[in-house]
Amino acid sequence: MQPWKYPVIIAGDFNAEPDSKVVGKLDAGFIRSCKNGCANTIPSDAPTKIIAKYLRDPFIVVLSIMGC
C-alpha cells in the first residue's frame, strides 16, 4: 500500500485470531483500534473469540470506539 497519500482504515472479518501470523503482518504497518478488552465477534449467537479486526494507519487519530 505504499506509497499512498491518503489515510487508510482496514476493517473486516479476517478469520484470524489476534495472535496469528496474518494479524502480525498487519500490525507491522497498521495500528489496531482495539487491543485490550475488545468484544468477541464469533460465533454470532454467543461470541467466544475475536476474528474481526479494525486497523488504521498511524496518521489517523481515533477519538472513540463503540462496543470496545
Side-chain angles (χ1 to χ4, degrees):
M1 296 216 33
Q2 296 197 5
W4 187 255
K5 62 182 179 177
Y6 301 104
V8 176
I9 296 173
I10 298 176
D13 186 345
F14 294 99
N15 288 331
E17 295 187 30
D19 59 351
S20 70
K21 288 182 181 180
V22 170
V23 176
K25 288 187 182 277
L26 290 169
D27 282 342
F30 293 92
I31 298 170
R32 288 190 228 180
S33 293
C34 184
K35 283 190 174 185
N36 299 311
C38 307
N40 290 331
T41 60
I42 190 171
S44 61
D45 58 341
T48 58
K49 294 189 334 183
I50 300 170
I51 60 170
K53 308 290 181 291
Y54 304 92
L55 305 112
R56 61 183 171 83
D57 71 27
F59 304 104
I60 296 173
V61 176
V62 175
L63 299 178
S64 68
I65 300 172
M66 296 179 64
C68 185

